[in-house]
Amino acid sequence: MRPEILNPLFAALTDLKGVGPQLAKPLTRLGLERVVDVLFHLPTGLISRLPVDRLDQAQAGQTIIVELTAQDYRPGRSPRAPFGVEAFDSAGDHVRLVYFGRTSGLARKLFPLGEKRRVSGRLDLYGDMRQIVHPDHVAEPGGEAGIAVHEPVYPLTEGLTNARLSQLAAVALERRPELAEWIDAPLLANRSWPAWREAIERAHASPRDEAARDRLAYDEIFASQVALMLIRHGLRNRRGRAIRGDGRLTDALQLPFGLTGAQERVGREIASDMAQDTPMLRMLQGDVGSGKTLVALRAMLAAVEAGTQAALLAPTEILARQHYSTLQRMLGGLPVNLAILTGRDKGRVRESTLMGLADGSIDILVGTHAIFQQAVTYKDLALVVVDEQHRFGVAQRLMLTQKAARPPHLLVMTATPIPRTLQLANHGEMDVSQIDEMPPGRTPVDTRVISLDRLDDVIDGLDRHLATGAQAYWVCPLVAESEGSELAAAEERAALLRARLGDQRVGLVHGRMKGPEKDDVMARFQAGEIGVLVATTVIEVGVDVPAASLMIVEHAENFGLAQLHQLRGRVGRGAAKSVCLLLRSQNLSETARERLALMRDTNDGFVIAEKDLELRGGGELLGLKQSGDADYRVATPEQLVRLLPVAHDDARLFVERDGGIEGARGEAVRLCLYLFERDAAVPLLRSG
């Protein structure tokens, strides 16, 4: 239960005076729904204003505060034309205040003729004439306290002004309580960090206050690390059970190829973990196509051999059904009852599956998050495999492990290589295995970067590619075009390709389509009835069509490197030479050019991940921002890399040396966990 002292921070913004439904909409778009959300929505810039008595004390380009008197209005020739206010300073020097749009009424109201006003805005020259376009503040003399010399600038959205957000931040700061110190005293002194309450105030006052910003970033990272440590500690202290297969099913698998040395090695690591009565917590990393699914299947068969059940959790319906199909094929002829359960399954089919799980007649279940809903019970769940685990948060992983009388063994898999720093950030509770060897027959994909100016040439090349009987993917960053974006949209691109290549050769799949509709398109693509599949990143993982040997990614600079690597992994699965075309815009930043060049020059996902960390500082590009594990609101990627090792060591000392939640620092750290919403670990530890 959240400590009472924090309750004022978790009140809804709509409970505050002046925050009605109209203001709530833009706030919600920014993810600001509670007071604490505003508290951690820190400014990213700072406006510095120069107070002057006379205009000639300032230079063009400076933002100034000056007292002016309006003497005349200069309306435009049409209602849409600029409206000018002719004003003079105390020395009689002239400046024109310019308003665009239908704002003449506002300008007249702000500047009554003959009356003095304190004005803030950027002073510019239009020819030889001074002007201030849309002054940002206008106040009556004596009200200059309302025009700050230094004003923090917040990330905004349409319908929300910086002034309004500043007011909400002031209210949030008033509600911040005095909290007991959770940082280890020697560390706090060594870093010269302020106390939490002072740090949050200073961070809102200036984005340049590094000590305050680092203190808050550290708090957030520390909370995540403590949560992961407590989860590991709690689960390890709960007695599980040893699982040892007898080999009768794994030995009977009919494989067209042998295991690689890396698959054999990680298989032994997993088998060793499962043979202990301490629940396994292991992450299996392997590049796209390295054979993780086979390793996971062998672990699940060991669980079935021991008379228990296994479950495989996938993040999307498409990937779940792909896994189900793959496992069916691999298990052909074996006495193993495999079932699937997704949110789409209803009625008798769903009831039959639920009964089979409860009575133990289903050995292995594949599904989406539906497999850990309350109505789903297992007779004897002993192993949980989570695929593409970066799509699931710690809390979701824990929900599934609580589906058994005793904690099941947990194996999570990822084809997104994660550098050591980010492993600590999100998966500090886990041991890590790595498949660092590719099976024979996987051909490297030839990657090329091409300007979007050559779109017609690319489509002509695609036509020739399809004429050979080969297939292709065309990935766009959006589903439908929007007025504010020039990015490619899947629906519009599919329409263009159908016009050029023919209706029957082009399919379309995206996340807004209904399940059966998506399944139909995917089945036709897999059967070779469709030549090119236009898609969003819904096909990023799991889709396996060996005949597809061309991947085209439009506006590639808008995708993360991990996403691009995953998309590229959809081709190169057959014997044919495969190509990935990254279509780029004309105006690229230097970092974007480096990233695309990296994709062109290497197929090694681990090299890509490490370089990506260097270029961007880690975090969002590797999918961690969407994971639910570490949605860092305060800590920047740079701070994460720099402060995480320190926080990891301190969290370990807290749990192992200081007695954890029950120790002397426990109550203060508990406040930190609840403040940063990493409190899922607290009840787990207490119950464990």
Side-chain angles (χ1 to χ4, degrees):
M1 188 173 178
R2 184 190 304 127
E4 197 171 315
I5 193 172
L6 297 178
N7 285 344
L9 297 181
F10 285 85
L13 288 176
T14 49
D15 292 346
L16 302 181
K17 185 178 179 181
V19 183
Q22 198 63 32
L23 182 57
K25 289 179 183 177
L27 289 170
T28 300
R29 281 201 297 273
L30 285 175
L32 308 180
E33 297 182 347
R34 305 159 305 170
V35 173
V36 71
D37 299 328
V38 174
L39 201 65
F40 291 136
H41 188 74
L42 299 178
T44 53
L46 194 68
I47 296 175
S48 294
R49 300 183 175 93
L50 175 67
V52 296
D53 297 319
R54 296 166 44 176
L55 291 164
D56 63 9
Q57 293 173 335
Q59 296 179 343
Q62 288 184 307
T63 300
I64 64 171
I65 304 172
V66 65
E67 189 171 280
L68 299 172
T69 303
Q71 291 196 1
D72 195 12
Y73 302 130
R74 189 174 293 274
R77 294 180 179 178
S78 73
R80 292 181 177 275
F83 182 87
V85 178
E86 308 298 340
F88 296 84
D89 66 10
S90 58
D93 289 331
H94 168 259
V95 63
R96 178 176 293 170
L97 310 172
V98 182
Y99 286 84
F100 288 94
R102 300 176 184 272
T103 52
S104 60
L106 172 65
R108 292 174 190 270
K109 182 178 178 181
L110 289 173
F111 296 100
L113 297 183
E115 295 189 19
K116 292 180 178 179
R117 290 290 184 267
R118 293 283 288 182
V119 179
S120 165
R122 178 187 164 100
L123 183 67
D124 287 309
L125 290 177
Y126 184 69
D128 294 331
M129 180 180 65
R130 293 189 185 99
Q131 70 173 18
I132 297 175
V133 177
H134 282 281
D136 53 42
H137 286 281
V138 180
E140 294 185 22
E144 56 263 38
I147 304 179
V149 173
H150 300 291
E151 180 183 356
V153 179
Y154 291 90
L156 300 172
T157 187
E158 185 180 356
L160 189 63
T161 65
N162 197 68
R164 191 69 184 93
L165 196 45
S166 295
Q167 291 169 356
L168 288 173
V171 173
L173 287 168
E174 286 175 8
R175 288 185 168 224
R176 73 196 194 284
E178 289 279 3
L179 299 177
E181 184 56 71
W182 48 75
I183 295 182
D184 202 29
L187 173 63
L188 192 68
N190 179 260
R191 297 277 175 158
S192 300
W193 284 338
W196 176 80
R197 194 171 191 274
E198 179 188 345
I200 195 76
E201 182 175 34
R202 283 169 48 177
H204 274 276
S206 172
R208 299 170 188 164
D209 192 329
E210 290 187 15
R213 292 283 177 127
D214 275 1
R215 155 75 208 232
L216 297 176
Y218 181 84
D219 291 341
E220 186 174 35
I221 298 166
F222 175 69
S224 288
Q225 288 299 295
V226 168
L228 291 172
M229 293 280 182
L230 293 181
I231 288 168
R232 182 184 178 91
H233 189 76
L235 289 178
R236 297 280 183 186
N237 283 350
R238 293 172 67 191
R239 191 172 182 81
R241 34 88 178 271
I243 298 294
R244 296 182 182 87
D246 56 20
R248 59 188 166 83
L249 296 175
T250 51
D251 292 345
L253 273 177
Q254 297 294 314
L255 301 175
F257 44 79
L259 296 176
T260 65
Q263 286 174 314
E264 294 271 17
R265 185 188 72 250
V266 300
R268 288 192 296 270
E269 291 170 355
I270 292 167
S272 175
D273 279 0
M274 290 175 63
Q276 311 300 317
D277 59 10
T278 301
M280 172 173 68
L281 287 169
R282 184 166 290 277
M283 179 167 70
L284 175 58
Q285 286 196 95
D287 216 336
V288 177
S290 61
K292 297 181 299 300
T293 303
L294 176 57
V295 171
L297 174 59
R298 289 170 63 86
M300 290 189 285
L301 288 178
V304 177
E305 290 167 357
T308 63
Q309 294 168 298
L312 171 59
L313 173 63
T316 65
E317 181 106 19
I318 283 180
L319 184 51
R321 296 195 179 277
Q322 179 81 44
H323 273 312
Y324 180 66
S325 174
T326 300
L327 294 182
Q328 269 188 321
R329 191 167 60 248
M330 296 172 82
L331 290 170
L334 292 184
V336 176
N337 190 0
L338 177 72
I340 185 168
L341 182 65
T342 70
R344 192 199 308 169
D345 297 310
K346 309 289 182 190
R348 290 183 180 178
V349 172
R350 177 181 168 80
E351 289 302 317
S352 173
T353 303
L354 293 180
M355 288 176 60
L357 291 171
D359 66 22
S361 59
I362 291 176
D363 300 308
I364 298 175
L365 179 68
V366 178
T368 57
H369 63 279
I371 73 176
F372 56 68
Q373 289 174 346
Q374 192 169 358
V376 183
T377 58
Y378 299 78
K379 181 181 181 182
D380 196 4
L381 180 64
L383 172 65
V384 175
V385 179
V386 181
D387 193 22
E388 288 308 321
Q389 54 70 42
H390 65 276
R391 308 289 187 89
F392 298 98
V394 169
Q396 288 174 298
R397 297 201 294 260
L398 288 177
M399 283 176 68
L400 197 51
T401 63
Q402 291 165 357
K403 283 290 181 183
R406 284 180 288 181
H409 298 284
L410 180 64
L411 176 67
V412 300
M413 304 191 297
T414 179
T416 304
I418 305 174
R420 170 67 178 160
T421 302
L422 299 177
Q423 282 179 23
L424 288 179
N426 276 271
H427 315 288
E429 85 274 30
M430 296 184 184
D431 299 311
V432 179
S433 291
Q434 183 172 314
I435 301 180
D436 51 8
E437 182 182 354
M438 296 297 279
R442 289 286 296 199
T443 54
V445 179
D446 180 13
T447 304
R448 304 168 194 173
V449 181
I450 298 176
S451 170
L452 271 165
D453 288 350
R454 297 179 57 195
L455 185 63
D456 284 340
D457 294 339
V458 171
I459 295 174
D460 289 342
L462 172 61
D463 193 10
R464 293 191 296 273
H465 177 81
L466 298 181
T468 68
Q471 292 173 278
Y473 299 95
W474 191 302
V475 178
C476 301
L478 298 173
V479 174
E481 274 190 14
S482 62
E483 286 185 26
S485 175
E486 297 177 357
L487 298 182
E491 291 174 340
E492 282 71 17
R493 183 59 69 235
L496 172 66
L497 292 177
R498 283 169 178 153
R500 293 276 296 270
L501 306 173
D503 281 355
Q504 300 307 310
R505 300 171 82 184
V506 181
L508 172 66
V509 63
H510 56 71
R512 291 187 196 168
M513 293 166 63
K514 292 182 178 178
E517 192 181 358
K518 276 192 288 194
D519 286 350
D520 177 62
V521 176
M522 292 302 302
R524 288 169 56 213
F525 185 59
Q526 286 171 317
E529 297 170 18
I530 292 172
V532 57
L533 183 67
V534 181
T536 55
T537 53
V538 71
I539 56 99
E540 178 185 334
V541 293
V543 179
D544 188 4
V545 181
S549 54
L550 175 61
M551 168 63 70
I552 300 169
V553 184
E554 198 162 346
H555 284 284
E557 70 276 7
N558 286 284
F559 292 84
L561 287 186
Q563 277 187 313
L564 290 176
H565 186 59
Q566 287 276 8
L567 290 168
R568 178 168 61 185
R570 298 308 104 216
V571 297
R573 292 170 172 259
K577 176 180 172 58
S578 293
V579 176
C580 176
L581 300 183
L582 303 179
L583 306 188
R584 60 164 178 83
S585 303
Q586 278 294 340
N587 301 316
L588 294 185
S589 68
E590 194 56 41
T591 298
R593 290 183 185 279
E594 276 193 71
R595 291 170 56 238
L596 293 181
L598 179 66
M599 291 300 302
R600 182 191 61 214
D601 295 340
T602 182
N603 278 280
D604 188 324
F606 291 94
V607 171
I608 289 169
E610 293 292 346
K611 184 64 176 176
D612 191 31
L613 184 63
E614 179 185 320
L615 287 174
R616 288 282 296 266
E620 69 231 315
L621 253 170
L622 298 173
L624 304 183
K625 284 288 186 185
Q626 285 74 46
S627 68
D629 291 355
D631 187 8
Y632 292 102
R633 295 181 293 183
V634 178
T636 65
E638 181 275 328
Q639 287 172 318
L640 185 66
V641 172
R642 179 162 48 84
L643 297 174
L644 191 139
V646 184
H648 178 76
D649 289 345
D650 193 19
R652 183 169 50 80
L653 288 175
F654 167 71
V655 172
E656 296 176 2
R657 181 197 69 186
D658 299 341
I661 290 292
E662 307 301 336
R665 289 174 69 192
E667 203 53 42
V669 173
R670 183 169 171 268
L671 286 172
C672 181
L673 289 170
Y674 276 95
L675 179 64
F676 288 98
E677 298 179 86
R678 301 299 199 269
D679 48 281
V682 177
L684 177 75
L685 183 68
R686 291 193 187 283
S687 64

